[in-house]
Amino acid sequence: MPRIAFFLWLLLAGTAFSLSARAADPIAELPYRIDYEGWVTVSVMVNGQGPYDFVLDSGATITAAFQNLADENIFTPADREPIRILGLAGSEILPAINIGDLTIGDQRLDNHVGVVLPDWRETRQTPGGILGLDFLTQYTVLFDADKQTIRLYDRRDPVKDLPRGWSKTRMRARNFGEGAGTLYRITVSIHGRKVPCIIDLGASGTLINNRAMRRLLGGVVIEGSRASGFRTGSRLSDIFDRVEVASRIRVGTIRIAKARWSKRILTVFDAPIFEELGVHEKAFCLIGSDLMTERSFIFDFAHEKLYMGPKARRRLTMQDKNAAT
């Protein structure tokens, strides 16, 4: 049975575009890699120690550490109320912890208060931590899929001079209430139908609820049916390592702005997270890293816009080079 890990914790070419004159150069540039279960992974120093692997998660409102990182560092209890953390299958309340100073490239997140999450089972490799929206929203963030670098720009400056092949869509900040906080919603065209979604880089696959699935198929689907593109189930693991089983469905096309994906497999599951967000009674989805990491894109949080770039060019492997010679 295939398994897709959902990190459902909800709390361009390099010089192909520019911002306003004062932000022509990025504030910082750092490399990333796709690691663990398909996530954007960067190196982070914690209180001068490291580097440690942190996963970027645009569906998490707060930056946190895992237990393996806490075992190597002295974290102290914070003088504030516990923090409620949402996962795919529900929520938990965890003590607030003084994690301290995090350095990402030459940028810092000082005196950070977060939580310590339990490590996963040995069958899953656990990173050192998660970088959430509390870090990302300080900047306009460009993900360059060709160079596999992240560029951080002054968030006050609008993106301009986009080259051919780029497009944009509205990315609305929405407060989902206690526990989830402010997340960013876009509208996605799936199989020709409009579905509101959250871009969740902490989900390795794209998830839709059953109401969205019915909208795509144009009506009621018999429970357990394997018709209409259904495939065998997937095992979903959330931030707390809880496992759920869900169906999968193949859709013809997915569009975000003018970016297009064809014949993709989506996971269909009425996850408790949808009820936690208050969207369980309507079609809704989470766009995962399986789609986003194939392209360059820009989060412009201050101006509530998402820019989608072209697909990453195919990289020439050593095997390709040897065959060519």
Side-chain angles (χ1 to χ4, degrees):
M1 181 181 292
R3 171 169 163 168
I4 300 174
F6 280 83
F7 215 6
L8 295 179
W9 179 29
L10 295 172
L11 304 126
L12 343 177
T15 56
F17 79 103
S18 65
L19 304 178
S20 66
R22 70 179 178 188
D25 296 321
I27 296 171
E29 182 171 354
L30 53 144
Y32 73 84
R33 69 183 193 278
I34 305 301
D35 206 342
Y36 296 91
E37 296 174 357
W39 298 317
V40 176
T41 305
V42 297
S43 294
V44 177
M45 301 294 290
V46 180
N47 298 319
Q49 303 297 315
Y52 301 101
D53 287 345
F54 274 59
V55 171
L56 289 182
D57 189 354
S58 58
T61 56
I62 189 171
T63 293
F66 280 97
Q67 186 61 50
N68 66 84
L69 180 62
D71 290 342
E72 297 186 27
N73 293 266
I74 299 175
F75 297 151
T76 59
D79 185 19
R80 59 155 290 178
E81 67 280 0
I83 299 173
R84 184 167 175 258
I85 301 298
L86 301 184
L88 174 70
S91 63
E92 292 192 16
I93 297 176
L94 299 176
I97 300 295
N98 291 311
I99 295 175
D101 300 335
L102 282 67
T103 305
I104 307 96
D106 59 1
Q107 299 299 292
R108 294 174 62 89
L109 191 61
D110 291 331
N111 302 316
H112 179 64
V113 174
V115 298
V116 173
L117 301 164
D119 286 346
W120 299 325
R121 297 182 303 273
E122 292 184 2
T123 54
R124 297 177 70 194
Q125 185 182 7
T126 310
I130 305 161
L131 281 176
L133 288 172
D134 52 350
F135 172 75
L136 292 173
T137 54
Q138 296 181 46
Y139 310 93
T140 292
V141 187
L142 181 153
F143 293 80
D144 187 326
D146 284 309
K147 293 186 176 181
Q148 288 206 313
T149 59
I150 296 168
R151 296 190 201 105
L152 306 176
Y153 291 85
D154 190 320
R155 74 186 305 273
R156 296 169 296 178
D157 296 300
V159 177
K160 66 176 186 178
D161 299 330
L162 285 167
R164 186 175 181 179
W166 282 79
S167 57
K168 66 181 178 180
T169 189
R170 185 72 182 269
M171 184 174 68
R172 297 177 182 272
R174 176 179 170 184
N175 190 330
F176 285 89
E178 181 183 357
T182 298
L183 300 169
Y184 290 82
R185 199 194 77 175
I186 63 171
T187 299
V188 178
S189 174
I190 305 177
H191 208 58
R193 304 297 178 94
K194 301 294 185 182
V195 180
C197 303
I198 290 170
I199 295 182
D200 186 359
L201 294 180
S204 63
T206 294
L207 176 72
I208 63 173
N209 62 7
N210 275 290
R211 284 186 176 269
M213 181 267 294
R214 292 188 182 98
R215 176 180 293 184
L216 304 185
L217 299 182
V220 176
V221 176
I222 298 174
E223 186 71 24
S225 171
R226 295 299 177 194
S228 303
F230 271 102
R231 290 175 164 262
T232 56
S234 296
R235 290 166 58 84
L236 309 180
S237 301
D238 78 350
I239 189 73
F240 298 112
D241 215 12
R242 294 174 296 219
V243 177
E244 300 284 348
V245 177
S247 299
R248 298 192 301 161
I249 187 171
R250 183 187 296 274
V251 297
T253 59
I254 300 173
R255 292 180 183 272
I256 301 176
K258 293 182 181 179
R260 181 177 182 272
W261 296 261
S262 299
K263 298 180 180 179
R264 303 308 295 255
I265 300 294
L266 307 182
T267 299
V268 183
F269 181 49
D270 278 335
I273 189 67
F274 290 122
E275 186 167 0
E276 295 272 7
L277 294 175
V279 296
H280 58 291
E281 294 185 352
K282 60 183 178 182
F284 208 82
C285 81
L286 298 164
I287 298 294
S289 62
D290 58 325
L291 299 185
M292 297 301 295
T293 56
E294 293 182 2
R295 295 174 175 269
S296 298
F297 61 96
I298 304 169
F299 286 138
D300 184 353
F301 294 108
H303 302 93
E304 296 192 350
K305 290 183 174 61
L306 171 70
Y307 295 84
M308 296 299 305
K311 273 189 170 183
R313 295 185 292 272
R314 183 173 179 271
R315 295 178 181 276
L316 189 64
T317 66
M318 287 304 297
Q319 184 178 357
D320 294 330
K321 292 178 181 179
N322 292 337
T325 58

